[in-house]
Amino acid sequence: MLQKSYTRWIFVLPAMLVVSALFVYPFLSSIFYSFTNKNLIMPHYSFVGFDNYRAVLIDPQFWWAFFNSIKWTVLSLVGQVLVGFALAIALNRIRHLQWLYKILLIIPWAFPTIVIAFSWQWILNGVYGYLPNMITKLGLMDIAPSFLSDSSWAFVSLVFINIWFGAPLIMVNVLSALQTVPAEQYEAAKIDGANAWQVFRHITLPHIKVVIGLLVVLRTVWVFNNFDIIYLITGGGPANSTMTIPIYAYNMGWGTKMLGRSSAVTVLLFIFLLLICFIYFKVINRWEKEGE
């Protein structure tokens, strides 16, 4: 029995070491440094208590980035869910070459972020970009729109790109959930004379809402923490119009070198997302109890 216990820990230990190295240590070090005046240039630092948190919370740029993150997450998430759900419904009704449509629609999710970012930079560039030049040639606008260098266009453009990028993930998971709904229930509803909305509300939605809820939780965390696609395409500009909390934390840590204050930002971000996930899971648990 003792040998079996040791064997179990031997198999688990490598995974625990990897998790500790990639998550536990950075997380604990961020909490620690958030209470210090740690600077990437200065070798020495001292404890400052909650000074970093106070400095962050009274910084107007932090709140600008925070509300940008809220808008970025809500708009991206709503768009991804609606587009992904519509695509899943459409694919679920296709009987021929469904596999081909799946492959074509999953392409945005399959590419690395850096490839997607540079591709969209080329497509939307105000000077030589394909889309702005096509708009002017079609006579839709007299001057080519600056999708990435105009603050009124940049945020909307990034949201569109994120919806295009994330919708396939929603589509695949919702499609899988739709295919688990018993066909007998649809047949019984048809015999009873139920219309399309009644079938969706009383049969389809109860079977897939937990899956959608879990997807919303995951996508909320991923989108709110999204850094690479924004940084690679706009860098948070122009004029901070696309600056979100991760970009703000990065600029604070690597721009001003104030690692302690940057760590405070990441801790505040973690607490906020923890509260959001707590609310999400309360709702999902209620759905699961209703379905029992």
Side-chain angles (χ1 to χ4, degrees):
M1 183 66 70
L2 187 61
Q3 187 177 3
K4 287 183 179 180
S5 178
Y6 281 124
T7 304
R8 180 174 55 195
W9 282 106
I10 290 172
F11 282 110
V12 172
L13 185 61
M16 293 178 62
L17 291 174
V18 170
V19 170
S20 298
L22 297 179
F23 175 75
V24 176
Y25 172 73
F27 175 71
L28 294 178
S29 64
S30 292
I31 295 176
F32 173 77
Y33 286 133
S34 69
F35 294 102
T36 71
N37 60 356
K38 175 71 175 176
N39 192 292
L40 292 175
I41 298 176
M42 306 298 293
H44 303 291
Y45 59 88
S46 57
F47 285 93
V48 294
F50 288 93
D51 287 355
N52 287 323
Y53 292 93
R54 281 192 289 267
V56 167
L57 292 174
I58 63 173
D59 184 1
Q61 278 203 344
F62 168 79
W63 292 106
W64 173 265
F66 178 75
F67 288 117
N68 265 355
S69 292
I70 296 292
K71 289 190 298 181
W72 161 255
T73 303
V74 171
L75 293 175
S76 296
L77 195 59
V78 170
Q80 288 178 11
V81 170
L82 291 178
V83 174
F85 189 80
L87 291 173
I89 292 288
L91 278 176
N92 194 46
R93 297 186 177 186
I94 294 175
R95 294 294 174 260
H96 302 290
L97 297 177
Q98 189 186 89
W99 63 271
L100 179 60
Y101 292 114
K102 284 182 186 178
I103 292 172
L104 293 175
L105 290 171
I106 202 68
I107 285 175
W109 184 257
F111 277 102
T113 307
I114 191 169
V115 175
I116 291 171
F118 289 155
S119 297
W120 278 105
Q121 273 189 330
W122 173 76
I123 293 171
L124 299 178
N125 188 277
V127 178
Y128 54 80
Y130 173 76
L131 186 58
N133 282 292
M134 184 179 70
I135 289 174
T136 54
K137 287 179 180 178
L138 291 174
L140 300 176
M141 297 179 72
D142 296 328
I143 302 174
S146 302
F147 287 109
L148 301 179
S149 57
D150 186 340
S151 57
S152 60
W153 280 104
F155 192 86
V156 176
S157 300
L158 282 176
V159 169
F160 171 80
I161 293 169
N162 203 32
I163 292 172
W164 172 85
F165 173 69
L169 177 68
I170 305 293
M171 176 197 72
V172 170
N173 286 276
V174 172
L175 179 60
S176 299
L178 286 171
Q179 292 175 343
T180 64
V181 181
E184 297 81 8
Q185 295 186 13
Y186 288 123
E187 293 172 1
K190 188 176 181 180
I191 294 171
D192 292 338
N195 58 37
W197 168 247
Q198 290 172 331
V199 170
F200 173 77
R201 181 183 176 186
H202 297 290
I203 297 177
T204 305
L205 190 59
H207 280 88
I208 67 172
K209 64 182 181 181
V210 173
V211 173
I212 294 176
L214 292 173
L215 285 171
V216 168
V217 173
L218 292 174
R219 292 305 296 162
T220 298
V221 174
W222 290 344
V223 173
F224 205 96
N225 280 319
N226 196 282
F227 170 82
D228 47 5
I229 197 166
I230 300 175
Y231 186 78
L232 289 170
I233 295 177
T234 64
N240 292 333
S241 61
T242 61
M243 183 173 66
T244 56
I245 290 294
I247 301 290
Y248 174 84
Y250 175 84
N251 291 338
M252 186 68 66
W254 297 99
T256 63
K257 311 302 180 185
M258 292 189 290
L259 185 63
R261 194 168 297 180
S262 176
S263 298
V265 176
T266 61
V267 173
L268 289 172
L269 175 59
F270 173 77
I271 294 171
F272 174 76
L273 289 177
L274 203 62
L275 292 173
I276 294 296
C277 289
F278 175 77
I279 296 171
Y280 276 153
F281 282 119
K282 290 285 285 186
V283 174
I284 291 172
N285 286 335
R286 190 176 66 185
W287 287 350
E288 288 179 336
K289 289 178 181 178
E290 290 174 355
E292 290 177 356

